């Protein structure tokens, strides 16, 4: 029996060490994970513009360009985000920092089933840093909770472009530039109903905070 418990102790110890090591790797190498960790500690920041949204806004609204053209901007968008999480991030930001002059929410007709999903869902990275829970970390350890972020780590190991990328005002930027060869086409599409309750709360928050 003692040998069984000794083996069990070592097994659990190895599991814990692997998860701690994985968590440290994410904090050191995963740009999105590091960003949310840093944002959760923001205090007394002053930006003219805060950008909210999912990956569309994260990749499509250039905070650095806006900053260089007179509007200090931080891109608070999170890949795979739901609008309810954007509302939470904005509320937390306003509590601890100076209120921005403008809030930009990235919307498109393609995000109705994700960002504006009628069934809200939480973001595991945001929950980990903003609502730490010891029991939750035991039942759903980092290697399971953030398993998809292993792809980020793999890209950084294998790709020089990813290793040389830097975080700029909430956006992870590589030196590699891929030209957009698309051509605009004026298509008559169905109108989209953006009357989402969380989006309306973001609007109300902005109106109340001036």
């Amino acid at each position: 029996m003692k040998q069984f418990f000794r083996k069990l102790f070592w097994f659990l110890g190895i599991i814990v060490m692997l998860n701690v090591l994985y968590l440290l790797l994410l904090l050191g190498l995963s740009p999105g994970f590091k960003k949310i960790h840093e944002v959760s500690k923001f205090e007394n920041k002053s930006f003219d513009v805060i950008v909210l949204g999912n990956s569309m806004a994260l990749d499509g609204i250039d905070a650095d360009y806006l900053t260089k053209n007179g509007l200090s901007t931080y891109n608070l968008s999170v890949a795979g985000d739901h609008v309810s999480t954007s509302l939470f991030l904005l509320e937390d930001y306003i509590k601890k920092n100076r209120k921005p002059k403008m809030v930009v929410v990235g919307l498109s007709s393609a995000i109705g089933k994700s960002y504006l999903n009628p069934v809200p869902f939480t973001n595991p990275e945001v929950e980990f840093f903003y609502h730490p829970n010891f029991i939750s970390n035991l039942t759903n350890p980092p290697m399971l909770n953030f398993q998809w972020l292993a792809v980020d780590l793999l890209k950084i190991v294998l790709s020089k472009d990813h290793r040389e990328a830097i975080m700029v005002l909430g956006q992870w930027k590589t030196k590699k530039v891929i030209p957009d060869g698309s051509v605009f086409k004026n298509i008559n599409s169905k109108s989209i109903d953006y009357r989402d309750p969380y989006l309306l709360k973001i609007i109300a928050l902005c109106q109340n905070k001036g």
Side-chain angles (χ1 to χ4, degrees), residues 130-148:
Y130 284 88
H131 303 122
N133 186 304
F134 180 74
I135 300 300
S136 176
N137 290 332
L138 285 179
T139 57
N140 194 18
M143 290 185 72
L144 292 178
N145 199 18
F146 310 119
Q147 55 183 296
W148 80 94

Side-chain angles (χ1 to χ4, degrees), residues 112-173:
K113 295 295 180 66
S114 55
Y115 188 63
L116 298 180
N117 195 313
V119 180
F121 53 87
T122 58
N123 183 289
E125 298 166 279
V126 173
E127 289 297 305
F128 181 80
F129 289 114
Y130 284 88
H131 303 122
N133 186 304
F134 180 74
I135 300 300
S136 176
N137 290 332
L138 285 179
T139 57
N140 194 18
M143 290 185 72
L144 292 178
N145 199 18
F146 310 119
Q147 55 183 296
W148 80 94
L149 291 177
V151 177
D152 283 351
L153 301 181
L154 187 61
K155 287 179 179 178
I156 290 170
V157 170
L158 299 178
S159 168
K160 181 180 178 181
D161 288 329
H162 284 79
R163 286 195 300 273
E164 295 179 348
I166 56 175
M167 185 66 74
V168 182
L169 298 171
Q171 289 178 292
W172 196 40
K173 292 192 169 188

Side-chain angles (χ1 to χ4, degrees), residues 15 17-18 23 35 41 61 66 72 78 83 87 91 102 113 116 121 131 135 137 149 151 153 162 185-187 189:
I15 295 298
M17 286 189 292
L18 286 175
L23 189 59
K35 169 187 169 179
K41 298 181 180 299
I61 302 177
L66 293 174
S72 61
V78 179
V83 63
L87 171 63
E91 289 174 332
M102 184 185 306
K113 295 295 180 66
L116 298 180
F121 53 87
H131 303 122
I135 300 300
N137 290 332
L149 291 177
V151 177
L153 301 181
H162 284 79
K185 293 182 180 180
N186 191 7
I187 301 175
S189 57

Side-chain angles (χ1 to χ4, degrees), residues 36-64:
I36 297 175
H37 178 233
E38 292 168 1
V39 167
S40 69
K41 298 181 180 299
F42 272 7
E43 287 187 6
N44 299 318
K45 296 289 183 180
S46 180
F47 293 104
D48 295 328
V49 180
I50 291 295
V51 179
L52 302 174
N54 59 6
S55 55
M56 191 279 290
L58 180 62
D59 297 332
I61 302 177
D62 195 331
D64 187 42

Side-chain angles (χ1 to χ4, degrees), residues 11-30:
F11 175 76
L12 293 176
I14 291 172
I15 295 298
V16 170
M17 286 189 292
L18 286 175
N19 277 279
V20 170
L21 177 60
Y22 185 62
L23 189 59
L24 292 174
L25 285 172
L26 292 178
L27 284 170
L29 298 176
S30 175

Side-chain angles (χ1 to χ4, degrees), residues 87 90-91 94 99-100 103 199-210:
L87 171 63
L90 180 61
E91 289 174 332
I94 290 176
K99 63 181 181 182
V103 174
L199 187 58
L200 293 176
K201 288 180 181 180
I202 290 176
I203 295 171
L205 179 63
C206 293
Q207 291 173 336
N208 294 334
K209 297 296 181 178

